Amino acid sequence: MPLTGLWIVLLLGCIALCRTAPTIAPTISPEEEDLAEGYLTQFYSDVGVKNSSTRTIKENTFSQDLQAMQAFFGLEVTGVLNNETAEVMKAPRCGVSDISRYGHFAGRPRWQKRLITYRITQYTPDLTRSQVDATIAQAFQLYSDVIPLDFKQVYSGTADIMILFKGGYHGDFYPFDGAGGVLAHANSPGRNQGGDTHFDDDETWTLTQRGVNLLLVAAHEFGHALGLDHSRDRRALMFPTYKYVNTNGYRLPDDDRRGVQALYGSRTPVPTTPEDPTEDPNPDPLPNPRDEQCSRELVFDAATSIWGDLFFFKNGYYWRKSTTFQGIRLIRVNTKWPRIQYVDAAFEVSYKDAVYLFEGSQYWGIKAYAKTIISGYPKSITSLGLPSSVSKVDAAVYVPSTRKTLIFVNNQYWSYDEGRNQMDLGYPRSISQDFPGIGSKVDAAFENMGYLYFSSGPRQIEYYLPYKRVMRVLLNYGWLNCY
């Protein structure tokens, strides 16, 4: 079972790739060069693309791994070791690799029972036992508040999760490295040592912003013990490096909540928010999706961003997840765009200030800011270059980095060049061949924060196109505030 560690950070990984020669800035000391090589070997050694030439792999590994590390932490991606990159490498962090296939561990390990026991066998002298007990319980409660698991402390025998504070060598094959560096680590769920969590007692453990805050570190490690891998969202608890945030009234951040609920489900679905007051009271021929909002089986018809907000379409309605107001609003499509009854696919081209909505064999262009239909629409989907045999589009998504729109139909997709306003040659192509790991069918797709999200049935894949890699497996309903 993989050993996971804790070096919590709330930084953000932007994703961009450059391929440059593996060079080192002249101001970097030999000690920092050694630090960088060790750091990349420990946390990014599997990033480089493998080929048949071992010599080529070795020559390119440092630069490729360094690019991946710089992208993860939102640094300028150069493949060149500089002072800014070296400083990030020196920050306290978690001991698990930052590069993994999923936001969950390989094989998606999880606990198969509802009551998980834990036992603290060795305490830190930095805090009283009662303070440690209360803080560990609080860290577990962050998860039990949102998933249907309960945690119980026991004081003898072997618990599901064994916890200790000890510096240096402490009985496993991953000795701690003194103050700073690795703060703690934990095993993923499983038998025997599964979930066991160790804290480096060479750190100064506190309940404040001084030293190392035990609540934040423990909550991060227990995420690993429940099956969560590191996140690329700098706001997430599961981001790999440590940074103090105010713990008064602290709740599990949204990214972490969605990840753990994808493994265990939601403890109590929240009541759906009232629909928009402008909604047409006339009955709709399709079922109202209001009762499906927090269903683990929720399937989207389409999804897109519109000026920073996310729109998820279902049965002639859409849920709007806004950056400017709380809650999720459910609105009928034809109350916003009276000429459109339902949406099969949707995508936004931000630099054109336009959103395109597909309905059967036609599609509509809408000015994103004004949300008014562009003159000349609707148009036939064949005007995009699709063959007349296509009667309906399953999903579409615009990729800002390539300025291409991907259009999905059954098990194939087309690539439309927005700059040239024409379909690329050589299409359609196979979905499963060009997007390994997402399956052969896409019901809805959208772009967010540099990632593509592909939905097939209730399951959703977070995909990083430059690596052609699945990052996480989610469920659709996790976007709709279901906790």
Side-chain angles (χ1 to χ4, degrees):
M1 72 189 64
L3 181 73
T4 65
L6 169 116
W7 309 349
I8 315 173
V9 225
L10 304 178
L11 305 170
L12 176 62
C14 82
I15 302 299
L17 265 185
C18 302
R19 294 196 180 276
T20 59
T23 58
I24 297 174
T27 57
I28 296 298
S29 68
E31 291 77 16
E32 288 173 321
E33 293 179 25
D34 292 340
L35 166 69
E37 291 180 1
Y39 189 99
L40 296 177
T41 298
Q42 185 172 2
F43 302 113
Y44 291 86
S45 59
D46 293 327
V47 175
V49 178
K50 304 296 187 288
N51 58 39
S52 59
S53 171
T54 302
R55 179 179 178 181
T56 301
I57 293 171
K58 290 180 179 179
E59 290 173 348
N60 292 337
T61 293
F62 182 90
S63 179
Q64 291 175 346
D65 291 356
L66 188 60
Q67 288 172 24
M69 179 266 174
Q70 290 169 328
F72 191 104
F73 286 95
L75 305 173
E76 182 181 4
V77 181
T78 63
V80 177
L81 181 61
N82 53 33
N83 289 325
E84 183 182 19
T85 303
E87 287 304 309
V88 172
M89 290 178 171
K90 296 174 185 177
R93 58 154 296 154
C94 178
V96 72
S97 169
D98 292 334
I99 300 301
S100 61
R101 189 176 180 190
Y102 305 104
H104 305 126
F105 293 118
R108 290 169 61 87
R110 59 188 293 272
W111 295 100
Q112 301 297 325
K113 55 185 180 178
R114 294 297 182 93
L115 178 63
I116 308 300
T117 60
Y118 66 93
R119 179 185 173 192
I120 305 172
T121 60
Q122 291 181 244
Y123 287 77
T124 175
D126 299 333
L127 300 166
T128 67
R129 288 198 172 206
S130 61
Q131 287 177 319
V132 172
D133 287 346
T135 304
I136 295 299
Q138 184 182 356
F140 278 120
Q141 187 175 347
L142 292 173
Y143 293 97
S144 62
D145 282 346
V146 299
I147 60 174
L149 294 187
D150 293 304
F151 302 92
K152 179 182 178 182
Q153 183 174 6
V154 298
Y155 301 92
S156 62
T158 301
D160 296 312
I161 297 175
M162 301 291 281
I163 300 168
L164 62 80
F165 292 78
K166 191 172 182 181
Y169 178 77
H170 51 278
D172 59 21
F173 294 102
Y174 303 91
F176 287 124
D177 52 4
V182 177
L183 306 179
H185 53 222
N187 289 323
S188 59
R191 296 181 178 180
N192 299 322
Q193 286 80 40
D196 287 1
T197 303
H198 306 150
F199 299 88
D200 185 354
D201 209 23
D202 287 330
E203 312 297 341
T204 300
W205 296 101
T206 74
L207 304 181
T208 66
Q209 62 184 349
R210 295 187 307 239
V212 180
N213 185 275
L214 179 58
L215 176 63
L216 295 175
V217 174
H220 175 108
E221 292 308 324
F222 296 154
H224 288 317
L226 292 174
L228 294 182
D229 204 341
H230 282 153
S231 170
R232 292 175 179 267
D233 185 340
R234 64 179 175 185
R235 299 161 296 185
L237 175 67
M238 297 309 296
F239 200 77
T241 57
Y242 173 84
K243 183 179 180 181
Y244 176 79
V245 296
N246 192 331
T247 58
N248 291 330
Y250 185 79
R251 298 176 62 188
L252 205 62
D254 186 62
D255 182 75
D256 308 291
R257 175 188 55 77
R258 291 201 310 266
V260 77
Q261 286 181 337
L263 285 173
Y264 298 100
S266 176
R267 176 171 285 271
T268 305
V270 295
T272 56
T273 54
E275 60 201 61
D276 190 89
T278 62
E279 184 183 335
D280 187 344
N282 295 328
D284 192 90
L286 292 172
N288 187 310
R290 186 178 299 108
D291 295 335
E292 296 184 60
Q293 177 171 328
C294 287
S295 168
R296 291 173 57 84
E297 302 304 316
L298 174 63
V299 177
F300 292 142
D301 292 337
T304 187
S305 58
I306 301 180
W307 268 70
D309 291 355
L310 293 177
F311 287 64
F312 301 97
F313 296 87
K314 176 75 174 180
N315 289 357
Y317 292 78
Y318 65 83
W319 288 283
R320 179 181 176 185
K321 185 178 180 69
S322 178
T323 57
T324 59
F325 59 81
Q326 294 183 342
I328 301 292
R329 296 184 180 181
L330 178 66
I331 305 170
R332 280 185 63 163
V333 170
N334 63 12
T335 65
K336 184 64 65 177
W337 304 290
R339 298 168 64 188
I340 305 174
Q341 300 304 312
Y342 61 91
V343 176
D344 295 319
F347 68 94
E348 177 185 33
V349 182
S350 55
Y351 82 92
K352 292 183 178 180
D353 187 31
V355 175
Y356 300 90
L357 306 180
F358 291 76
E359 181 180 6
S361 62
Q362 59 187 3
Y363 72 104
W364 311 76
I366 297 169
K367 295 301 289 183
Y369 181 74
K371 298 182 176 64
T372 57
I373 294 176
I374 300 171
S375 176
Y377 286 89
K379 295 180 180 181
S380 169
I381 59 176
T382 58
S383 68
L384 291 168
L386 293 170
S388 58
S389 58
V390 175
S391 59
K392 173 181 173 294
V393 169
D394 293 332
V397 60
Y398 172 69
V399 183
S401 61
T402 63
R403 292 202 169 188
K404 309 279 189 179
T405 295
L406 309 177
I407 301 173
F408 299 86
V409 179
N410 297 324
N411 62 352
Q412 297 179 315
Y413 80 102
W414 281 259
S415 174
Y416 184 84
D417 190 310
E418 293 291 342
R420 296 184 296 117
N421 291 319
Q422 67 183 45
M423 201 71 77
D424 289 330
L425 297 176
Y427 291 86
R429 292 177 57 88
S430 166
I431 295 172
S432 58
Q433 180 176 334
D434 287 359
F435 299 91
I438 75 168
S440 60
K441 182 78 163 59
V442 177
D443 295 325
F446 65 99
E447 187 272 342
N448 189 51
M449 300 293 288
Y451 297 91
L452 298 179
Y453 293 85
F454 298 112
S455 292
S456 179
R459 191 183 75 152
Q460 186 177 96
I461 299 295
E462 181 183 76
Y463 198 81
Y464 181 46
L465 186 60
Y467 288 165
K468 288 188 175 293
R469 175 177 291 176
V470 173
M471 305 308 297
R472 293 187 298 173
V473 180
L474 309 169
L475 291 175
N476 288 331
Y477 83 118
W479 291 93
L480 301 181
N481 291 6
C482 296
Y483 36 25

